[in-house]
Amino acid sequence: MNAYNHPAIQYYQDVSEQCIHYLSIDGVIFGFHENQLKVLLLRWKGTTEWSLPGGFIRKTESVDVAAQRVVRERTGLDELYLQQFHVFGEAERYDQADTWARTKLPIQQVNWSERTISIGYYALVEYSKVVPTPDFLTEECCWWNVDDIPPLLFDHNHIVAVALSSLRRQFADQPISHLLPSAFTVPELQRLHETILGQPLDARNFYKKLMASGTLERLSERRAGTPHKAPYLYRFKPTDI
């Protein structure tokens, strides 16, 4: 294929015409599965290189709407919890020549900006509801354990680290119910807390504080197929907000 006819060229030409210059969205999509905090990554076509989902802000949409669109296109979810957590605006964020060479795109044919400022959003989603979907520049979209993320394109490893740090700082104020199925056990909820906070918690103290908070409702069902006595299932009580 002639480099000038490459679909990436048309894409970046459309971006130049339809989107705000020098400004982008990067999304850190968190899920929780098999007692592991996970993040959704994209593998670029014809490479072994991975990156976060991202995109540009159309001239006709707000920043928040752009972030919702970027995450929706990769997850298939319409109802999303998103939190803007940081603006990445260092003068030199990464080695552009090396990064674009790794993507194997004919980016040298594009009048690309020397500097782009990125607005970071993290999303909390229920793993089982996500349909991971690549875009036309990538051929694989899948979950990675947050502790096993490979070296990413651009400065995306740094973005993931900042997102995780922000989530931990704001943990008490975040609706973590978005990361869980509608019914779960107390040990599963404790493991979610431990995974995000990065430290073990005393099971007795965790249970006491949880019950004292009044945020949970015990269901009549129990979790079947466990090696010990089947634990009760719980759900978060509905709120007026």
Side-chain angles (χ1 to χ4, degrees):
M1 178 184 295
N2 187 305
Y4 288 95
N5 295 326
H6 196 286
I9 301 298
Q10 182 61 52
Y11 170 74
Y12 288 115
Q13 289 174 344
D14 291 343
V15 165
S16 179
E17 296 174 1
Q18 301 173 15
C19 297
I20 299 172
H21 291 194
Y22 316 119
L23 194 62
S24 67
I25 298 289
D26 282 310
V28 184
I29 304 171
F30 289 118
F32 186 69
H33 182 62
E34 295 181 344
N35 291 330
Q36 293 286 338
L37 187 65
K38 297 179 179 290
V39 64
L40 201 62
L41 299 178
L42 295 165
R43 182 172 61 80
W44 288 55
K45 286 183 177 179
T47 77
T48 58
E49 304 292 344
W50 295 83
S51 74
L52 291 169
F56 295 91
I57 303 165
R58 295 169 183 162
K59 295 176 181 178
T60 57
E61 65 186 355
S62 71
V63 173
D64 285 346
V65 168
Q68 292 168 358
R69 172 176 53 79
V70 165
V71 176
R72 182 178 65 250
E73 290 172 350
R74 303 286 72 80
T75 64
L77 299 178
D78 289 320
E79 296 183 6
L80 294 163
Y81 176 79
L82 286 171
Q83 178 70 46
Q84 186 183 127
F85 67 92
H86 194 74
V87 174
F88 298 89
E90 291 83 354
E92 295 184 9
R93 291 175 55 193
Y94 51 85
D95 185 331
Q96 287 205 31
D98 174 70
T99 296
W100 288 118
R102 288 163 61 191
T103 68
K104 297 184 180 180
L105 293 178
I107 202 68
Q108 66 273 10
Q109 307 299 338
V110 178
N111 184 19
W112 192 249
S113 62
E114 295 183 358
R115 181 180 180 187
T116 299
I117 295 171
S118 178
I119 304 173
Y121 282 79
Y122 66 72
L124 306 180
V125 300
E126 184 183 334
Y127 178 94
S128 64
K129 293 183 178 180
V130 172
V131 181
T133 306
D135 58 24
F136 79 97
L137 291 176
T138 59
E139 57 188 350
E140 188 175 2
C141 180
C142 66
W143 293 102
W144 283 72
N145 289 345
V146 75
D147 294 328
D148 299 326
I149 292 174
L152 303 178
L153 290 168
F154 312 105
D155 55 350
H156 288 185
N157 287 93
H158 174 58
I159 292 176
V160 173
V162 176
L164 185 57
S165 177
S166 299
L167 177 60
R168 286 171 173 166
R169 287 198 311 270
Q170 303 167 352
F171 184 57
D173 299 322
Q174 299 306 306
I176 61 170
S177 58
H178 288 273
L179 289 166
L180 292 164
S182 57
F184 50 85
T185 67
V186 169
E188 289 168 347
L189 182 57
Q190 179 177 337
R191 180 55 183 160
L192 172 59
H193 280 72
E194 291 175 334
T195 302
I196 292 177
L197 296 175
Q199 62 185 29
L201 301 172
D202 181 81
R204 290 185 180 181
N205 288 337
F206 180 80
Y207 180 82
K208 289 179 180 179
K209 291 181 180 179
L210 200 60
M211 295 302 106
S213 70
T215 58
L216 295 185
E217 177 182 359
R218 194 174 81 174
L219 306 178
S220 59
E221 300 96 324
R222 292 173 179 262
R223 170 74 77 221
T226 58
H228 305 291
K229 182 180 179 181
Y232 278 105
L233 291 170
Y234 289 79
R235 66 182 178 190
F236 285 101
K237 292 180 179 178
T239 63
D240 296 330
I241 300 177

